[in-house]
């Protein structure tokens, strides 16, 4: 059959080649206890792009930055730019020659309850290529019940390495991830 | 079976209707040599929405340049870019959408982007594109992130072709993948 040039019709067989056009979840982690990081290793190189869906909260800080590191590389070759808005304010910040990149922010102990988590979606195009890896993330969180405390943001970060990404480590800048923080990793053919 | 309302169980048959709810790759381009533009043509018309994802760099002498996107080879004053909710200006040739690193940026720097065109086959409504992108063009400064919406101010039928272009050429190694989701 010709799918995806046309729709699948009843009775048609989906071939392996066609199944290989589908994005798929590669990893899914839900923290059962507070932890310093979520580490996904042995990421296969057969996909074109990766994406992450993440929800996080700090176990100890009032708020904290959500950070991403590639291949366990802690050298200072990460560059990032973040922008976010709350209320009528718009703010931006950058990080140069850092040891990980900011991909979002998370609420913590200042939130009204332990149910407050951030949401973040991260896109990693051409993660296995021989170029420096640039990622884009969109995120939002609410660290307080007071007014002017709903944040919406976007970040971009570059890991200045030509190595294929085979490991992703999600953490907070200065505190532990809280129980029930979640990371799902998807591969896009 | 009830999937996707419930998980697939062993021996459950997957129906055509269920297959037609999948996300699927429909085209991919990775440049082997520097190339002036990237064209995705003959886009299937059987899906609901399309998604572009890619990694790009320009050969232009600047540190960063804009990427223009054109639908259906129509280059009139149909584009209307609006960065981060701020009204943009009319453009006459394609739509200046997002920045990517260029020749003055450190070697191997490529920008990232993801774009969605909802309801791309509509013939009675104008089509919008939502683009999230980012790039780094230096080591002392020069990282940029943008969230942009673009409206193609045309009801001239479904989107059948998308062309990406920038100043000079796209660098070899640039890649764009087109995905579609959910049959109409």
């Amino acid at each position: 059959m010709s799918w995806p040039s046309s729709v699948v019709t009843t009775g048609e067989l989906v071939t392996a080649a066609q199944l290989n056009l589908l994005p798929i979840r590669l990893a899914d982690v839900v923290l059962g206890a507070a932890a310093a990081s979520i580490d996904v290793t042995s990421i296969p190189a057969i996909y074109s792009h990766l994406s992450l869906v993440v929800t996080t909260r700090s176990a100890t800080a009032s708020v904290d930055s959500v950070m991403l590191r590639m291949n366990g590389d802690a050298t200072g070759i990460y560059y990032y730019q973040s922008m976010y808005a709350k209320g009528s304010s718009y703010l931006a910040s950058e990080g140069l020659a850092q040891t990980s990149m900011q991909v979002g922010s998370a609420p913590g102990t200042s939130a009204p309850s332990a149910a407050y988590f951030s949401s973040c979606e991260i896109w990693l195009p051409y993660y296995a290529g021989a170029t420096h890896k640039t990622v884009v993330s969109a995120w939002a969180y609410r660290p307080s019940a007071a007014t002017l405390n709903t944040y919406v943001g976007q970040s971009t970060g570059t890991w200045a390495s030509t190595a294929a990404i085979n490991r992703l480590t999600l953490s907070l800048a200065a505190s532990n991830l809280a129980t029930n923080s979640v990371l799902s990793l998807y591969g896009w053919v | 079976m009830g999937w996707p309302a419930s998980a697939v169980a062993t021996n459950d048959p997957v129906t055509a209707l269920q297959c037609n709810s999948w996300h699927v790759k429909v085209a991919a381009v990775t440049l082997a040599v520097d190339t002036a533009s990237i064209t995705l043509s003959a886009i299937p018309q059987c899906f609901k929405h399309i998604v572009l994802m890619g990694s790009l760099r320009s050969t232009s002498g600047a540190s960063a340049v804009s990427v223009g996107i054109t639908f259906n080879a129509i280059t009139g004053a149909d584009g209307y870019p609006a960065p981060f909710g701020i009204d943009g200006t009319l453009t006459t040739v394609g739509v200046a959408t997002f920045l990517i690193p260029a020749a003055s940026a450190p070697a191997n720097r490529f920008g990232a982007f993801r774009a969605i065109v909802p309801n791309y086959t509509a013939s009675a409504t104008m089509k919008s594109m939502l683009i999230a992108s980012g790039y780094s063009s230096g080591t002392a400064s020069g990282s940029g992130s943008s969230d942009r919406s673009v409206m193609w101010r045309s009801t001239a039928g479904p989107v059948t072709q998308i062309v990406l272009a920038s100043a000079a050429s796209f660098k070899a190694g640039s890649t764009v993948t087109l995905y579609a989701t959910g049959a109409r």
Side-chain angles (χ1 to χ4, degrees), chain B:
Chain B
M1 68 167 166
W3 180 74
S6 58
V8 179
T10 301
N11 294 327
D12 276 347
V14 177
T15 68
L17 182 63
Q18 290 164 328
C19 291
N20 287 324
S21 296
W22 288 339
H23 250 79
V24 63
K25 181 176 82 172
V26 295
V29 175
T30 299
L31 299 181
V33 296
D34 299 349
T35 304
S37 63
I38 294 173
T39 299
L40 302 163
S41 57
I43 297 172
Q45 299 295 298
C46 55
F47 296 97
K48 195 72 176 178
H49 316 297
I50 52 177
V51 175
L52 288 164
M53 190 161 21
S55 173
L56 299 171
R57 177 184 173 99
S58 170
T59 61
S60 168
S63 59
V65 296
S66 181
V67 174
I69 294 180
T70 305
F71 290 159
N72 294 6
I74 295 174
T75 56
D78 291 322
Y80 193 71
F84 211 62
I86 302 169
D87 284 350
T89 54
L90 289 171
T91 61
T92 55
V93 180
V95 178
T97 52
F98 58 91
L99 292 171
I100 59 173
S104 296
N108 296 311
R109 289 288 166 85
F110 281 63
F113 81 99
R114 177 191 179 236
I116 305 171
V117 186
N119 203 17
Y120 71 104
T121 58
S123 57
T125 62
M126 299 176 185
K127 267 66 76 180
S128 294
M129 175 183 267
L130 308 175
I131 307 166
S133 67
Y135 72 101
S136 168
S137 60
T139 54
S141 64
S143 292
S145 186
S146 75
D147 199 357
R148 178 165 283 208
S149 63
V150 171
M151 175 171 280
W152 183 42
R153 301 198 312 169
S154 171
T155 57
V159 176
T160 58
Q161 180 194 74
I162 296 175
V163 178
L164 295 89
S166 73
S169 294
F170 289 118
K171 182 76 174 170
S174 293
T175 184
V176 175
T177 309
L178 174 67
Y179 301 92
T181 182
R184 289 195 287 149

Side-chain angles (χ1 to χ4, degrees), chain A:
Chain A
M1 66 168 169
S2 59
W3 179 76
S5 295
S6 58
V7 297
V8 180
T9 58
T10 302
E12 290 183 324
L13 293 176
V14 178
T15 67
Q18 289 165 326
L19 283 176
N20 285 328
L21 298 174
L22 303 178
I24 191 165
R25 189 175 71 184
L26 302 174
D28 190 47
V29 178
V30 181
L31 289 183
S37 64
I38 297 175
D39 199 18
V40 181
T41 61
S42 302
I43 297 171
I46 61 172
Y47 299 94
S48 297
H49 317 296
L50 299 175
S51 69
L52 292 163
V53 176
V54 168
T55 177
T56 53
R57 173 185 169 86
S58 172
T60 54
S62 57
V63 295
D64 207 347
S65 297
V66 182
M67 310 300 289
L68 189 65
R69 178 174 289 167
M70 283 74 172
N71 293 12
D73 183 357
T75 58
I77 57 171
Y78 297 81
Y79 300 84
Y80 62 82
Q81 173 73 38
S82 293
M83 59 182 185
Y84 61 94
K86 65 168 185 169
S88 58
S89 301
Y90 170 83
L91 303 102
S93 63
E94 70 174 355
L96 301 171
Q98 301 295 299
T99 57
S100 59
M101 64 174 70
Q102 185 185 13
V103 291
S105 290
T109 53
S110 67
S113 81
Y116 278 56
F117 278 69
S118 69
S119 294
C120 180
E121 186 176 27
I122 306 161
W123 295 92
L124 303 92
Y126 210 36
Y127 72 103
T131 65
H132 291 182
K133 311 304 179 297
T134 297
V135 312
V136 179
S137 65
W139 45 273
Y141 76 113
R142 182 165 171 78
S144 165
T147 59
L148 302 179
N149 270 287
T150 298
Y151 290 72
V152 59
Q154 183 177 338
S155 299
T156 185
T158 295
W159 176 46
S161 169
T162 57
I165 294 173
N166 56 32
R167 176 183 175 188
L168 292 168
T169 306
L170 188 86
S171 65
L172 300 180
S175 60
N176 283 350
L177 293 160
T179 304
N180 290 327
S181 293
V182 171
L183 178 151
S184 297
L185 172 66
Y186 299 87
W188 295 73
V189 179

